[in-house]
Amino acid sequence: MNTTNNFNTFLKLTAICSFLGALTTILLLFLPNPEAVDFEARALLHANGLYMGKLWILFIHPQVNILASLGIALLLYKKYPLQIFVGTLFLLLWAFTEISQQALLIDSLNQIWRPGYLEAGNGETKNMFMTLIKTANGISDSKYFVVIYGFGLGSLMYGLAFIQEIGWPKWIGAALLFIGVFSLFSFARYYLGLRSLNTLVDGWYEYIYPYLQPSVRIAMGIWIFKEIKKRT
């Protein structure tokens, strides 16, 4: 009995995390980005509350969403072991990489290198910090390479599991398939040079993704709660 109660408590936590994932997604998509038109203006961002707040949300975002994914994995693994096992591996890759990406930006870039650049008293020190700041941008972009790849494949595999369910969860599967495919399209245009995808992917991220992604996370949280109810 205690094992069952603990299992259901964990599932409830993952459902709540899915709702929190929807909230962090909405905040990241709809909070404005501070304007910084040149290198000097970007160096000042470390003191901008909105900018730093979004970095912290980005740090928390993959944590709550991977917990939600683990709840789904526990519920679907026996039915779709291949899709859930592979999907979970790629989502873990996405979550860990995005967490480390934001740690780099919050700590090294904005607590050390940007303040150091602004406080530097001579050209040599200033140039050193400028080099570090530019290097941080390159490292962050390399991490995004992994982030979008892992998220795309993980979403795709979870979509292939949900699409086999009966009733309304099929729509979760369809939405995850779209999210996965377009994430991989975005990866292809950035890193494989497929610029022909630009118009299609830009339209997706402007008109569909900001509303579909939070809706899917809410739907997954509701689905987890419904699955708990079936088991009690």
PDB file of all heavy atoms in Angstrom, residues 17-41:
ATOM      1  N   CYS A  17       4.460  19.302 -12.189  1.00  0.00           N
ATOM      2  CA  CYS A  17       5.621  19.786 -12.938  1.00  0.00           C
ATOM      3  C   CYS A  17       5.260  20.069 -14.390  1.00  0.00           C
ATOM      4  O   CYS A  17       5.795  21.000 -15.006  1.00  0.00           O
ATOM      5  CB  CYS A  17       6.753  18.764 -12.864  1.00  0.00           C
ATOM      6  SG  CYS A  17       7.650  18.768 -11.304  1.00  0.00           S
ATOM      7  N   SER A  18       4.353  19.274 -14.951  1.00  0.00           N
ATOM      8  CA  SER A  18       3.923  19.527 -16.325  1.00  0.00           C
ATOM      9  C   SER A  18       3.197  20.864 -16.427  1.00  0.00           C
ATOM     10  O   SER A  18       3.406  21.630 -17.373  1.00  0.00           O
ATOM     11  CB  SER A  18       3.019  18.392 -16.820  1.00  0.00           C
ATOM     12  OG  SER A  18       2.897  18.408 -18.221  1.00  0.00           O
ATOM     13  N   PHE A  19       2.361  21.164 -15.426  1.00  0.00           N
ATOM     14  CA  PHE A  19       1.689  22.467 -15.403  1.00  0.00           C
ATOM     15  C   PHE A  19       2.708  23.600 -15.215  1.00  0.00           C
ATOM     16  O   PHE A  19       2.599  24.657 -15.849  1.00  0.00           O
ATOM     17  CB  PHE A  19       0.660  22.515 -14.267  1.00  0.00           C
ATOM     18  CG  PHE A  19      -0.459  21.521 -14.416  1.00  0.00           C
ATOM     19  CD1 PHE A  19      -0.972  20.866 -13.313  1.00  0.00           C
ATOM     20  CD2 PHE A  19      -0.997  21.222 -15.661  1.00  0.00           C
ATOM     21  CE1 PHE A  19      -1.996  19.945 -13.432  1.00  0.00           C
ATOM     22  CE2 PHE A  19      -2.029  20.309 -15.797  1.00  0.00           C
ATOM     23  CZ  PHE A  19      -2.526  19.657 -14.675  1.00  0.00           C
ATOM     24  N   LEU A  20       3.700  23.369 -14.350  1.00  0.00           N
ATOM     25  CA  LEU A  20       4.752  24.377 -14.172  1.00  0.00           C
ATOM     26  C   LEU A  20       5.561  24.546 -15.459  1.00  0.00           C
ATOM     27  O   LEU A  20       5.997  25.659 -15.784  1.00  0.00           O
ATOM     28  CB  LEU A  20       5.682  23.971 -13.023  1.00  0.00           C
ATOM     29  CG  LEU A  20       5.089  24.029 -11.619  1.00  0.00           C
ATOM     30  CD1 LEU A  20       6.068  23.461 -10.595  1.00  0.00           C
ATOM     31  CD2 LEU A  20       4.700  25.456 -11.251  1.00  0.00           C
ATOM     32  N   GLY A  21       5.734  23.447 -16.194  1.00  0.00           N
ATOM     33  CA  GLY A  21       6.409  23.525 -17.486  1.00  0.00           C
ATOM     34  C   GLY A  21       5.649  24.384 -18.473  1.00  0.00           C
ATOM     35  O   GLY A  21       6.249  25.127 -19.271  1.00  0.00           O
ATOM     36  N   ALA A  22       4.317  24.289 -18.421  1.00  0.00           N
ATOM     37  CA  ALA A  22       3.500  25.154 -19.271  1.00  0.00           C
ATOM     38  C   ALA A  22       3.693  26.615 -18.881  1.00  0.00           C
ATOM     39  O   ALA A  22       3.815  27.492 -19.753  1.00  0.00           O
ATOM     40  CB  ALA A  22       2.026  24.758 -19.157  1.00  0.00           C
ATOM     41  N   LEU A  23       3.733  26.874 -17.567  1.00  0.00           N
ATOM     42  CA  LEU A  23       3.914  28.253 -17.089  1.00  0.00           C
ATOM     43  C   LEU A  23       5.274  28.806 -17.504  1.00  0.00           C
ATOM     44  O   LEU A  23       5.363  29.943 -18.009  1.00  0.00           O
ATOM     45  CB  LEU A  23       3.775  28.294 -15.569  1.00  0.00           C
ATOM     46  CG  LEU A  23       4.030  29.650 -14.907  1.00  0.00           C
ATOM     47  CD1 LEU A  23       3.039  30.699 -15.405  1.00  0.00           C
ATOM     48  CD2 LEU A  23       3.969  29.528 -13.386  1.00  0.00           C
ATOM     49  N   THR A  24       6.341  28.029 -17.310  1.00  0.00           N
ATOM     50  CA  THR A  24       7.664  28.525 -17.698  1.00  0.00           C
ATOM     51  C   THR A  24       7.746  28.735 -19.205  1.00  0.00           C
ATOM     52  O   THR A  24       8.386  29.683 -19.671  1.00  0.00           O
ATOM     53  CB  THR A  24       8.774  27.565 -17.238  1.00  0.00           C
ATOM     54  OG1 THR A  24       8.536  26.249 -17.762  1.00  0.00           O
ATOM     55  CG2 THR A  24       8.856  27.512 -15.723  1.00  0.00           C
ATOM     56  N   THR A  25       7.085  27.863 -19.965  1.00  0.00           N
ATOM     57  CA  THR A  25       7.067  28.036 -21.424  1.00  0.00           C
ATOM     58  C   THR A  25       6.398  29.351 -21.804  1.00  0.00           C
ATOM     59  O   THR A  25       6.906  30.102 -22.643  1.00  0.00           O
ATOM     60  CB  THR A  25       6.327  26.865 -22.095  1.00  0.00           C
ATOM     61  OG1 THR A  25       6.984  25.634 -21.761  1.00  0.00           O
ATOM     62  CG2 THR A  25       6.309  27.023 -23.612  1.00  0.00           C
ATOM     63  N   ILE A  26       5.254  29.641 -21.185  1.00  0.00           N
ATOM     64  CA  ILE A  26       4.526  30.879 -21.475  1.00  0.00           C
ATOM     65  C   ILE A  26       5.378  32.098 -21.119  1.00  0.00           C
ATOM     66  O   ILE A  26       5.469  33.064 -21.895  1.00  0.00           O
ATOM     67  CB  ILE A  26       3.192  30.901 -20.701  1.00  0.00           C
ATOM     68  CG1 ILE A  26       2.232  29.861 -21.298  1.00  0.00           C
ATOM     69  CG2 ILE A  26       2.556  32.295 -20.747  1.00  0.00           C
ATOM     70  CD1 ILE A  26       1.012  29.588 -20.434  1.00  0.00           C
ATOM     71  N   LEU A  27       6.024  32.055 -19.961  1.00  0.00           N
ATOM     72  CA  LEU A  27       6.862  33.181 -19.544  1.00  0.00           C
ATOM     73  C   LEU A  27       8.020  33.396 -20.514  1.00  0.00           C
ATOM     74  O   LEU A  27       8.319  34.532 -20.901  1.00  0.00           O
ATOM     75  CB  LEU A  27       7.398  32.939 -18.134  1.00  0.00           C
ATOM     76  CG  LEU A  27       6.371  32.972 -16.999  1.00  0.00           C
ATOM     77  CD1 LEU A  27       7.013  32.558 -15.682  1.00  0.00           C
ATOM     78  CD2 LEU A  27       5.740  34.360 -16.878  1.00  0.00           C
ATOM     79  N   LEU A  28       8.648  32.313 -20.924  1.00  0.00           N
ATOM     80  CA  LEU A  28       9.786  32.438 -21.837  1.00  0.00           C
ATOM     81  C   LEU A  28       9.362  32.952 -23.207  1.00  0.00           C
ATOM     82  O   LEU A  28      10.095  33.696 -23.858  1.00  0.00           O
ATOM     83  CB  LEU A  28      10.482  31.076 -21.978  1.00  0.00           C
ATOM     84  CG  LEU A  28      11.221  30.583 -20.734  1.00  0.00           C
ATOM     85  CD1 LEU A  28      11.656  29.137 -20.904  1.00  0.00           C
ATOM     86  CD2 LEU A  28      12.425  31.478 -20.439  1.00  0.00           C
ATOM     87  N   LEU A  29       8.176  32.553 -23.646  1.00  0.00           N
ATOM     88  CA  LEU A  29       7.727  32.943 -24.981  1.00  0.00           C
ATOM     89  C   LEU A  29       7.167  34.362 -25.020  1.00  0.00           C
ATOM     90  O   LEU A  29       7.321  35.061 -26.032  1.00  0.00           O
ATOM     91  CB  LEU A  29       6.665  31.958 -25.478  1.00  0.00           C
ATOM     92  CG  LEU A  29       7.170  30.559 -25.850  1.00  0.00           C
ATOM     93  CD1 LEU A  29       5.993  29.615 -26.069  1.00  0.00           C
ATOM     94  CD2 LEU A  29       8.044  30.607 -27.086  1.00  0.00           C
ATOM     95  N   PHE A  30       6.538  34.794 -23.937  1.00  0.00           N
ATOM     96  CA  PHE A  30       5.795  36.052 -24.012  1.00  0.00           C
ATOM     97  C   PHE A  30       6.402  37.198 -23.201  1.00  0.00           C
ATOM     98  O   PHE A  30       6.007  38.351 -23.405  1.00  0.00           O
ATOM     99  CB  PHE A  30       4.344  35.816 -23.591  1.00  0.00           C
ATOM    100  CG  PHE A  30       3.587  34.946 -24.563  1.00  0.00           C
ATOM    101  CD1 PHE A  30       3.319  33.611 -24.276  1.00  0.00           C
ATOM    102  CD2 PHE A  30       3.168  35.450 -25.792  1.00  0.00           C
ATOM    103  CE1 PHE A  30       2.641  32.810 -25.168  1.00  0.00           C
ATOM    104  CE2 PHE A  30       2.490  34.658 -26.696  1.00  0.00           C
ATOM    105  CZ  PHE A  30       2.217  33.332 -26.397  1.00  0.00           C
ATOM    106  N   LEU A  31       7.329  36.916 -22.290  1.00  0.00           N
ATOM    107  CA  LEU A  31       8.031  38.029 -21.650  1.00  0.00           C
ATOM    108  C   LEU A  31       8.932  38.705 -22.684  1.00  0.00           C
ATOM    109  O   LEU A  31       9.584  38.024 -23.478  1.00  0.00           O
ATOM    110  CB  LEU A  31       8.876  37.529 -20.477  1.00  0.00           C
ATOM    111  CG  LEU A  31       8.148  37.217 -19.167  1.00  0.00           C
ATOM    112  CD1 LEU A  31       9.135  36.649 -18.147  1.00  0.00           C
ATOM    113  CD2 LEU A  31       7.466  38.462 -18.598  1.00  0.00           C
ATOM    114  N   PRO A  32       8.986  40.030 -22.687  1.00  0.00           N
ATOM    115  CA  PRO A  32       9.826  40.712 -23.690  1.00  0.00           C
ATOM    116  C   PRO A  32      11.308  40.491 -23.422  1.00  0.00           C
ATOM    117  O   PRO A  32      11.720  40.211 -22.292  1.00  0.00           O
ATOM    118  CB  PRO A  32       9.450  42.184 -23.498  1.00  0.00           C
ATOM    119  CG  PRO A  32       8.986  42.280 -22.080  1.00  0.00           C
ATOM    120  CD  PRO A  32       8.303  40.972 -21.774  1.00  0.00           C
ATOM    121  N   ASN A  33      12.098  40.610 -24.475  1.00  0.00           N
ATOM    122  CA  ASN A  33      13.553  40.563 -24.344  1.00  0.00           C
ATOM    123  C   ASN A  33      14.098  41.985 -24.282  1.00  0.00           C
ATOM    124  O   ASN A  33      13.719  42.821 -25.110  1.00  0.00           O
ATOM    125  CB  ASN A  33      14.173  39.823 -25.529  1.00  0.00           C
ATOM    126  CG  ASN A  33      13.806  38.355 -25.537  1.00  0.00           C
ATOM    127  OD1 ASN A  33      13.876  37.688 -24.516  1.00  0.00           O
ATOM    128  ND2 ASN A  33      13.406  37.849 -26.692  1.00  0.00           N
ATOM    129  N   PRO A  34      14.968  42.280 -23.331  1.00  0.00           N
ATOM    130  CA  PRO A  34      15.543  43.633 -23.264  1.00  0.00           C
ATOM    131  C   PRO A  34      16.353  43.944 -24.523  1.00  0.00           C
ATOM    132  O   PRO A  34      17.010  43.057 -25.075  1.00  0.00           O
ATOM    133  CB  PRO A  34      16.453  43.580 -22.040  1.00  0.00           C
ATOM    134  CG  PRO A  34      16.158  42.315 -21.344  1.00  0.00           C
ATOM    135  CD  PRO A  34      15.473  41.402 -22.282  1.00  0.00           C
ATOM    136  N   GLU A  35      16.283  45.177 -24.971  1.00  0.00           N
ATOM    137  CA  GLU A  35      17.031  45.564 -26.163  1.00  0.00           C
ATOM    138  C   GLU A  35      18.502  45.786 -25.801  1.00  0.00           C
ATOM    139  O   GLU A  35      18.828  46.406 -24.795  1.00  0.00           O
ATOM    140  CB  GLU A  35      16.450  46.853 -26.763  1.00  0.00           C
ATOM    141  CG  GLU A  35      15.093  46.647 -27.428  1.00  0.00           C
ATOM    142  CD  GLU A  35      14.643  47.869 -28.196  1.00  0.00           C
ATOM    143  OE1 GLU A  35      15.484  48.763 -28.424  1.00  0.00           O
ATOM    144  OE2 GLU A  35      13.454  47.931 -28.549  1.00  0.00           O
ATOM    145  N   ALA A  36      19.374  45.253 -26.644  1.00  0.00           N
ATOM    146  CA  ALA A  36      20.815  45.458 -26.487  1.00  0.00           C
ATOM    147  C   ALA A  36      21.412  45.445 -27.883  1.00  0.00           C
ATOM    148  O   ALA A  36      21.617  44.385 -28.470  1.00  0.00           O
ATOM    149  CB  ALA A  36      21.427  44.371 -25.610  1.00  0.00           C
ATOM    150  N   VAL A  37      21.672  46.619 -28.415  1.00  0.00           N
ATOM    151  CA  VAL A  37      21.974  46.742 -29.843  1.00  0.00           C
ATOM    152  C   VAL A  37      23.446  46.506 -30.176  1.00  0.00           C
ATOM    153  O   VAL A  37      23.791  46.265 -31.334  1.00  0.00           O
ATOM    154  CB  VAL A  37      21.544  48.134 -30.369  1.00  0.00           C
ATOM    155  CG1 VAL A  37      20.039  48.271 -30.280  1.00  0.00           C
ATOM    156  CG2 VAL A  37      22.240  49.245 -29.589  1.00  0.00           C
ATOM    157  N   ASP A  38      24.340  46.587 -29.176  1.00  0.00           N
ATOM    158  CA  ASP A  38      25.755  46.408 -29.469  1.00  0.00           C
ATOM    159  C   ASP A  38      26.440  45.692 -28.303  1.00  0.00           C
ATOM    160  O   ASP A  38      25.806  45.344 -27.299  1.00  0.00           O
ATOM    161  CB  ASP A  38      26.437  47.746 -29.755  1.00  0.00           C
ATOM    162  CG  ASP A  38      26.249  48.764 -28.636  1.00  0.00           C
ATOM    163  OD1 ASP A  38      26.044  48.358 -27.476  1.00  0.00           O
ATOM    164  OD2 ASP A  38      26.288  49.982 -28.920  1.00  0.00           O
ATOM    165  N   PHE A  39      27.731  45.456 -28.448  1.00  0.00           N
ATOM    166  CA  PHE A  39      28.481  44.697 -27.453  1.00  0.00           C
ATOM    167  C   PHE A  39      28.440  45.371 -26.081  1.00  0.00           C
ATOM    168  O   PHE A  39      28.251  44.694 -25.059  1.00  0.00           O
ATOM    169  CB  PHE A  39      29.938  44.542 -27.912  1.00  0.00           C
ATOM    170  CG  PHE A  39      30.751  43.633 -27.036  1.00  0.00           C
ATOM    171  CD1 PHE A  39      30.788  42.270 -27.265  1.00  0.00           C
ATOM    172  CD2 PHE A  39      31.486  44.151 -25.968  1.00  0.00           C
ATOM    173  CE1 PHE A  39      31.541  41.427 -26.444  1.00  0.00           C
ATOM    174  CE2 PHE A  39      32.239  43.317 -25.148  1.00  0.00           C
ATOM    175  CZ  PHE A  39      32.264  41.950 -25.390  1.00  0.00           C
ATOM    176  N   GLU A  40      28.607  46.694 -26.046  1.00  0.00           N
ATOM    177  CA  GLU A  40      28.605  47.415 -24.773  1.00  0.00           C
ATOM    178  C   GLU A  40      27.256  47.301 -24.072  1.00  0.00           C
ATOM    179  O   GLU A  40      27.188  47.120 -22.853  1.00  0.00           O
ATOM    180  CB  GLU A  40      28.958  48.885 -25.014  1.00  0.00           C
ATOM    181  CG  GLU A  40      30.368  49.118 -25.549  1.00  0.00           C
ATOM    182  CD  GLU A  40      31.439  48.739 -24.543  1.00  0.00           C
ATOM    183  OE1 GLU A  40      31.188  48.902 -23.333  1.00  0.00           O
ATOM    184  OE2 GLU A  40      32.518  48.289 -24.962  1.00  0.00           O
ATOM    185  N   ALA A  41      26.182  47.406 -24.846  1.00  0.00           N
ATOM    186  CA  ALA A  41      24.841  47.291 -24.262  1.00  0.00           C
ATOM    187  C   ALA A  41      24.598  45.876 -23.735  1.00  0.00           C
ATOM    188  O   ALA A  41      23.987  45.695 -22.675  1.00  0.00           O
ATOM    189  CB  ALA A  41      23.786  47.660 -25.301  1.00  0.00           C
TER     190      ALA A  41
END
